[in-house]
Structure formats: C-alpha cells, structure tokens
Amino acid sequence: GDDISVQSENSFGGDFTEEPWFVTFSFPHGLVASFVPTLLAVAAVCFSVIGNNTCTLFERKITDRPSYNMTDLESYEIIAGVSYGLYVYGIQYRDEVDEFYTTQCKPYPSHVVNDDYVKAARGFSAIALVIGFPIVLLLCLTSCMKLGGRTVRVMSTLLMLVATCQLMILVFLNSERCVDNPNPVDSSYLQSQFVWAKCALHTG
C-alpha cells in the first residue's frame, strides 16, 4: 500500500507539530542563561530605586569640631557627619559607644542650590531607570520565549548603557555640597566651625 500522510490541525489551522512560541517557565535559552541575568537585573533595578530614595549614598565626616560643654554625658550625642542622597540628606550622630547611625532622611531645604553635578547625577539615575525597567521586563520573558540573536545583542548594549549611567552618578562627588562647606544644608545642626573630610561613598 501507498503511504498516507495525515496532518493534524488545530481550530486555527495551525500544525500541532509546530513548537509553541510562548510556554511559561520553559527556559528556551537554558535555566542558567535565563534565570541568572534576570535575577541580577531585577536586583539592580530594586537597588537603584532604593538608592534614589535614600540619604546614605554619600557621606562627609567631621575631622575637627569645637569643644562642647557636656552636662549629661550619658544622653549626649555627637554629630559625626552628614550623609547625602540624590534628593534627601541626613545628619549622622555618634552615641556614647561610638555607634554611627543616621537620622530620618529629609528633603534638601529650598535654599540649597542644585549645581550642574547634582543635576547630572539625577539625570543619569533617571535615564538608567527609564532604560533599565523595560529591559528587565524583556529579560523576564526569556524564561517563557526564545528571543532572537539581534534582540539579545540590543538588550546587552542597553544594559551596558544602564551600567554606565549608574556609574556616572558618581559625578555627585564633585558637587558643591561635597566640595564646599556643607553647613548651609542644615545650619541648625552643622556649625560653621566644623572641619570636614572629603565626600565619599557611604559604606554603611
């Protein structure tokens, strides 16, 4: 007999033998190649969002201060420095056992001028989030569908751009509030007699 070929079709006329283009958690690029980059990208976006809203990105320590007449040593707190974020700041204190902590973050006063370095740091941070968030969504799709080589190359290039923008946030270190005397930021706490160290990344 003659061979008879039978082709099964679905209700849309498609061939059942064709592989579906979207399957949840199918990891067509491989588990490691899909999951690890996605996890790292999601973590990077989360840390970036948190970093934009914290007051502990940068810090300046006080290297010399006027003498104090301490009447109650047990409850006395010494100002140790000031910490900066892109949009908020905080005053650092040292208690009697030399433990550093930061007060609740608060917005910069209206009289504090944002120079070009501060504006640039904020701009780079915003660009990183605007570009990075859609890329993270695409990376999440790699666990369900296979992306073309060109798409992967474009995503890789954009991720490098995001990383560069995040790095450029460090231009904040050249801003006036990192170079000049930071007393005007909060004159009620930061006395004009304080001598300040250079601005540095906050290490926790």
Side-chain angles (χ1 to χ4, degrees):
D2 297 333
D3 293 334
I4 300 176
S5 61
V6 178
Q7 184 176 6
S8 299
E9 294 184 353
N10 57 26
S11 58
F12 297 99
D15 190 349
F16 272 132
T17 61
E18 294 180 357
E19 295 183 0
W21 64 276
F22 188 93
V23 178
T24 305
F25 300 120
S26 59
F27 300 106
H29 295 277
L31 178 60
V32 174
S34 298
F35 182 73
V36 173
T38 302
L39 181 63
L40 293 175
V42 170
V45 169
C46 291
F47 283 126
S48 181
V49 172
I50 295 173
N52 283 346
N53 294 280
T54 185
C55 64
T56 55
L57 281 178
F58 310 97
E59 65 179 354
R60 293 191 74 177
K61 295 295 185 184
I62 297 173
T63 58
D64 193 15
R65 68 187 71 245
S67 59
Y68 292 94
N69 181 18
M70 295 181 289
T71 57
D72 187 359
L73 184 61
E74 293 299 321
S75 61
Y76 192 80
E77 295 174 334
I78 300 176
I79 296 174
V82 60
S83 59
Y84 294 134
L86 296 181
Y87 298 93
V88 289
Y89 77 102
I91 307 297
Q92 293 182 345
Y93 296 90
R94 185 176 71 241
D95 64 14
E96 63 273 10
V97 292
D98 290 335
E99 291 182 354
F100 289 92
Y101 61 95
T102 304
T103 60
Q104 183 178 3
C105 299
K106 48 188 175 180
Y108 289 105
S110 57
H111 68 268
V112 176
V113 178
N114 297 317
D115 59 20
D116 292 339
Y117 291 107
V118 173
K119 293 177 181 178
R122 291 178 176 180
F124 283 121
S125 177
I127 292 172
L129 286 176
V130 169
I131 298 176
F133 189 72
I135 298 302
V136 169
L137 294 181
L138 282 176
L139 282 173
C140 291
L141 290 178
T142 60
S143 63
C144 305
M145 59 183 295
K146 188 174 181 62
L147 302 179
R150 181 179 179 183
T151 301
V152 173
R153 287 192 294 271
V154 171
M155 289 172 56
S156 300
T157 302
L158 290 177
L159 284 174
M160 292 179 62
L161 177 60
V162 170
T164 302
C165 288
Q166 291 286 10
L167 182 63
M168 292 303 294
I169 293 177
L170 295 180
V171 300
F172 188 97
L173 294 172
N174 294 323
S175 65
E176 290 183 2
R177 65 195 66 172
C178 268
V179 177
D180 295 339
N181 196 315
N183 298 337
V185 172
D186 197 328
S187 57
S188 59
Y189 289 97
L190 309 179
Q191 299 185 21
S192 59
Q193 296 94 335
F194 288 160
V195 179
W196 297 88
K198 292 183 178 180
C199 220
L201 285 174
H202 194 281
T203 55

